[in-house]
Amino acid sequence: MAEVNPFYLGVFVLYLLIILAIGAWGYVRTEDVDDFWVYGKKLGPWLATWSYVANFVSAVSVIGFVGAVYGGGYSILTGIILGLMLGVSGLYFVVHKVRELNHITFPDIIAELTGYEAARPIAGTVLFANAWVYLIMQLVGAGLLVTVVTGVPYEYMIWVIGGVFILYTVLGGLVSVAWTDLIQGTLMVAMVLLALVVMTFDLGGIATINQEFAAIEPSHVRPLGGGTYTVIGVLGSLVAFFGTIFTSQATVVRINATKDIRTAKLHLAAAGVILSVFYVALILLGGATTVALESAGLGVDNVDRAFPVLITEYVPTEVGVVIILAILSGILSTTDTRLHAVGVTAARDVYDYFADDPSDRQLLKVSRASTIFFGLAATAIAVDPPGTIIELYEWRAILLTSAFLVPVYVALYARGIPGKAVLLSIVSGTALGVGWDFLGGPVGIPATFMGVGAAIVTLGIGYALWKGEAEPTVAVGG
């Protein structure tokens, strides 16, 4: 057991208390289920922008991406980040179509496009799997960080972190989440930029860092790394991570929480600029972390521990506090978003489908109860996680993109697609994409290609079989 660092532990406890106070304030401001789910559809551009930025940047970004640079170099820019930024750019051009439908969740949209209410629990099941994996990733990242810097054992700290996440999300729903995201997003971007400045001065400048980074391993500065990615692998990754932007429940909920279409478009454009700058700074910080640890003889076996070790063993305490706040901000802001999405999905897309005309009060209770249940379940799994942060991140990207990207957005623009064809495409894309990934991507074909390919083929077959048939209509509440 590591020695407890009272200074870092005190900073961490103070941070959690501030977040809980905002959650309590959000509870007072949450009057009905619409407030809990979508902020009463009153999110303005400033709050929406920073909430989206904070939701976007997670344990994957701050710990996982720095660890990926430590292990494989700058190729993560090509393999993952380019796809994410293309996704944000692409979503800007279709966001008006999503906002015009004026629904709450992604399954709501699918139900209207297909004409089948059953689409809500079908899509909701996929979204549950995605959100649960994402929760596990965030908790693992938070637990690793706080354990290393405070000295408190991981198996204890993970439950403290999970409990705080659950509590303040349950209290105020999107009201709590949006306002904590505003604080955390601003803090996160500012602190990462400041940390990069400090490390740049310490190591002699960006050019020097890159030269020493390449000297450690020449492939670190190659676009595809040293075999980390192949061309077909990069293409598959671009599709996968592009698709996650279009198919995230949290993203759709935020779009539909904005007060109008103009705000929805503006917040995506502004967030895209902020995120682009942030990720460039973060990847450079990953290079600086690698150089600093190697020069100090502080190499690590688990790449997810590279950044926490930098904080505790290399940088001065006052700089370490700055970095801790940045990482905690990224992790907390994304975890509360996924917890909130789980509650919305459980109540809106599953319970509301099977229940007999539930009241708003019942739906609010189910949202809160499911947030607690799934949050505790994710925390329990995070005690002994099934893979590294990046491995989990890649899996959920395959899941979402294979399931939804093709059928939903084709149906959104070509409204004559039979609903049964869309549902068949969702099911087949999910099954083949996830199944192919489980088999390890045989014959070198990325799982995303197989999932998206299956979705395209079955959508075409379904269109040929059911074209011209009368479709049912559903009245999905807004």
Side-chain angles (χ1 to χ4, degrees), residues 89-245:
S89 301
L91 186 59
Y92 174 85
F93 296 100
V94 302
V95 66
H96 63 286
K97 299 287 288 187
V98 175
R99 188 65 181 82
E100 282 172 355
L101 293 174
N102 199 33
H103 291 315
I104 293 173
T105 67
F106 200 46
D108 279 344
I109 294 171
I110 298 172
E112 176 168 320
L113 294 176
T114 61
Y116 289 93
E117 277 279 0
R120 291 166 60 196
I122 291 172
T125 300
V126 176
L127 292 169
F128 266 135
N130 162 68
W132 209 10
V133 170
Y134 220 115
L135 282 174
I136 294 167
M137 290 189 304
Q138 303 315 304
L139 290 166
V140 169
L144 286 171
L145 169 70
V146 178
T147 294
V148 170
V149 300
T150 66
V152 177
Y154 177 86
E155 59 269 23
Y156 300 142
M157 187 54 71
I158 199 74
W159 285 103
V160 172
I161 296 168
V164 171
F165 286 160
I166 293 166
L167 182 57
Y168 85 82
T169 304
V170 165
L171 286 173
L174 193 59
V175 176
S176 295
V177 169
W179 280 99
T180 53
D181 282 354
L182 173 62
I183 295 171
Q184 292 168 160
T186 306
L187 182 64
M188 173 185 60
V189 173
M191 294 302 98
V192 165
L193 292 174
L194 180 59
L196 177 60
V197 170
V198 170
M199 292 299 293
T200 299
F201 276 103
D202 181 68
L203 296 172
I206 294 294
T208 301
I209 291 172
N210 287 333
Q211 289 172 1
E212 295 187 15
F213 191 48
I216 293 171
E217 172 54 59
S219 64
H220 278 346
V221 294
R222 296 173 187 163
L224 299 181
T228 305
Y229 294 99
T230 62
V231 173
I232 192 172
V234 167
L235 292 175
S237 182
L238 287 178
V239 173
F241 289 103
F242 177 89
T244 61
I245 307 303

Side-chain angles (χ1 to χ4, degrees), residues 29-43:
R29 293 284 301 270
T30 302
E31 298 178 358
D32 54 34
V33 74
D34 274 349
D35 286 341
F36 190 90
W37 285 349
V38 286
Y39 203 87
K41 296 194 174 182
K42 295 179 291 189
L43 270 183

Side-chain angles (χ1 to χ4, degrees), residues 297-327:
L298 296 171
V300 296
D301 294 328
N302 182 345
V303 296
D304 285 343
R305 295 184 179 272
F307 210 19
V309 169
L310 178 83
I311 297 169
T312 57
E313 303 295 333
Y314 185 85
V315 301
T317 299
E318 58 272 17
V319 177
V321 170
V322 167
I323 300 175
I324 288 171
L325 290 176
I327 299 175

